[in-house]
Amino acid sequence: MRAADGHGATGAPDDEAGGARRAGSVGAIVAAALRDLRSIDGAVYAAVATTPTPTLDTALRRLSRAADHSKLSLGIAAGLAVFPGRPRQAACAGLGAVAVASASANLLAKRLVRRRRPDREAARVTVARQVPMPASASFPSGHTASAVAFAIGAGTVLPGALLPLWSLASAVAYSRVHTGVHYPGDVTAGAALGVASAVTARRLRRCLPRGERC
């Protein structure tokens, strides 16, 4: 009967139905995994928010503010640029990576994802560690993306600076969770974006004629 009505001969309707079921199953698994990740993200955020750290609060708040608009990276770059050769090249490479990271995070990723900022009041983040809540979307962390991009961009040219800059970028990333303006997932994505931005900026820089590289 299946061959007679044309369905069993080719199996196309059955294949399509099976494919739809598999696609639906995969979609359901992905959706469930994302829900679980959001739950973990929120739980870690809440744990940080409710853990008393009075000794760290002021320092991390100041660090977070210092990283606004990449002021920290700009200051380090200015210091490196004083010295000719590799330090100056490292400053240029780091700032190029920051430019790519900032544009990618603020002009593209945040506008696509539009994740809401955490509710600091509900999480009971102590006032002593708070910084102004940005108006932009939460995902990804632009501060983290730029700090990581600068660390890798400059550190690739000046290897001796990589570890200190990476440590500083990690501290900036954590400070954004500590001050309550980002979820851990935001800074994780920001770090990944920072790495990708540094790699992209390095490749773009190599495309320039040597005489046009700083």
Side-chain angles (χ1 to χ4, degrees):
M1 291 294 294
R2 293 177 61 86
D5 62 16
H7 293 284
T10 62
D14 290 341
D15 290 345
E16 290 175 2
R21 285 194 296 270
R22 287 192 294 272
S25 178
V26 170
I29 292 172
V30 170
L34 290 175
R35 284 195 299 270
D36 290 347
L37 288 173
R38 281 195 293 268
S39 296
I40 294 172
D41 206 19
V44 174
Y45 177 87
V48 171
T50 56
T51 301
T53 54
T55 306
L56 297 175
D57 289 347
T58 300
L60 288 171
R61 186 185 72 243
R62 289 176 178 172
L63 177 63
S64 186
R65 292 302 302 274
D68 287 350
H69 308 295
S70 298
K71 292 194 298 282
L72 198 57
S73 297
L74 290 171
I76 295 172
L80 289 172
V82 171
F83 304 96
R86 280 191 174 273
R88 188 170 296 169
Q89 293 171 9
C92 183
L95 292 180
V98 168
V100 175
S102 180
S104 300
N106 296 307
L107 301 180
L108 182 62
K110 286 180 181 288
R111 295 186 179 187
L112 288 176
V113 179
R114 296 188 177 279
R115 186 184 195 186
R116 289 185 178 181
R117 294 278 176 172
D119 186 343
R120 283 192 300 201
E121 286 66 31
R124 297 183 180 180
V125 177
T126 180
V127 175
R129 55 168 82 167
Q130 291 187 16
V131 297
M133 181 67 77
S136 60
S138 188
F139 184 96
S141 167
H143 283 63
T144 303
S146 294
V148 169
F150 182 81
I152 295 179
T156 301
V157 177
L158 196 65
L162 180 57
L163 182 57
L165 290 175
W166 180 260
S167 299
L168 181 61
S170 299
V172 168
Y174 174 72
S175 77
R176 301 304 284 172
V177 179
H178 192 85
T179 55
V181 297
H182 276 295
Y183 292 104
D186 300 335
V187 300
T188 301
L193 181 59
V195 173
S197 297
V199 172
T200 300
R202 182 175 175 80
R203 290 179 177 175
L204 291 174
R205 188 166 176 265
R206 284 178 173 176
C207 292
L208 295 174
R210 286 189 176 275
E212 296 182 13
R213 300 178 192 176
C214 59

